[in-house]
């Protein structure tokens, strides 16, 4: 038989957890799980970017097979030669085709790489090392750091 309520001293903590506390704990655990999955997805995307980097802008497997042992199974530096590269006609001042006088490429992005623009059959990622991330991955990392709350 349970003792009467008045027999329990008021200074002892109660073992009953409120519904609000349980909901908060559940929400916190869920948020931590989501954060872990997002972090894992971003890390996988960055690794995939590095693995795929040498094959960027190949639209047919035949030329890629001539330059690389496919499938790529490890981080690989790009071959300087890229048949069909459009860097010779790419705009260095913005997107698409255009002139080579502006300095967005070489000054703002892809620093030191402008000298490769205007040349035929040059790989877009010339000079990158095996495992390097592309500009797109660097932009994704910057966006993630900008949008993610600061850790405390």
């Amino acid at each position: 038989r349970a003792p009467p309520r008045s027999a329990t001293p008021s200074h002892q903590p109660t073992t009953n957890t409120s519904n609000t506390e349980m909901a908060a704990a559940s929400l916190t655990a869920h948020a931590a799980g989501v954060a872990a999955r997002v972090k894992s997805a971003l890390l996988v995307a960055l690794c995939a970017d590095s693995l795929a980097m040498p094959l960027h802008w190949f639209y047919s497997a035949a030329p890629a097979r001539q330059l690389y042992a496919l499938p790529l199974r490890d981080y690989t530096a790009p071959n300087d030669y890229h048949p069909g590269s459009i860097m010779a006609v790419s705009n260095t001042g913005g997107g698409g085709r255009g002139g080579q006088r502006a300095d967005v490429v070489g000054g703002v992005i892809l620093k030191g790489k402008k000298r490769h623009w205007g040349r035929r059959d040059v790989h877009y990622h010339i000079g990158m090392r095996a495992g390097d991330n592309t500009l797109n991955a660097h932009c994704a990392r910057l966006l993630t750091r900008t949008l993610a709350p600061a850790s405390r």
Side-chain angles (χ1 to χ4, degrees):
R1 180 167 185 222
R5 264 181 105 73
S6 60
T8 304
S10 61
H11 66 278
Q12 287 184 352
T14 155
T15 58
N16 293 335
T17 303
S18 75
N19 289 340
T20 303
E21 291 170 322
M22 289 187 339
S26 176
L27 185 59
T28 300
H30 176 73
V34 169
R37 288 192 302 276
V38 168
K39 181 179 179 181
S40 294
L42 287 169
L43 290 173
V44 167
L46 294 173
C47 290
D49 176 79
S50 293
L51 285 167
M53 176 265 294
L55 298 175
H56 285 176
W57 303 101
F58 279 92
Y59 294 107
S60 170
R65 280 193 190 103
Q66 292 174 354
L67 298 172
Y68 303 99
L70 299 181
L72 294 181
R73 298 186 186 281
D74 200 357
Y75 296 117
T76 306
N79 190 309
D80 291 352
Y81 175 70
H82 190 300
S85 165
I86 62 166
M87 284 176 56
V89 295
S90 293
N91 183 359
T92 60
R97 310 272 198 294
Q100 307 267 317
R101 289 187 212 118
D103 290 324
V104 172
V105 169
V108 178
I109 61 171
L110 306 171
K111 295 185 187 276
K113 301 270 181 121
K114 185 176 178 183
R115 62 191 161 97
H116 300 296
W117 263 252
R119 295 173 40 206
R120 294 177 42 97
D121 298 325
V122 174
H123 198 293
Y124 300 90
H125 302 309
I126 188 170
M128 290 178 69
R129 297 169 306 198
D132 281 351
N133 280 120
T134 66
L135 176 62
N136 294 345
H138 287 288
C139 289
R141 288 178 62 216
L142 178 61
L143 178 64
T144 302
R145 285 194 310 265
T146 302
L147 295 178
S151 10
R152 302 200 195 305

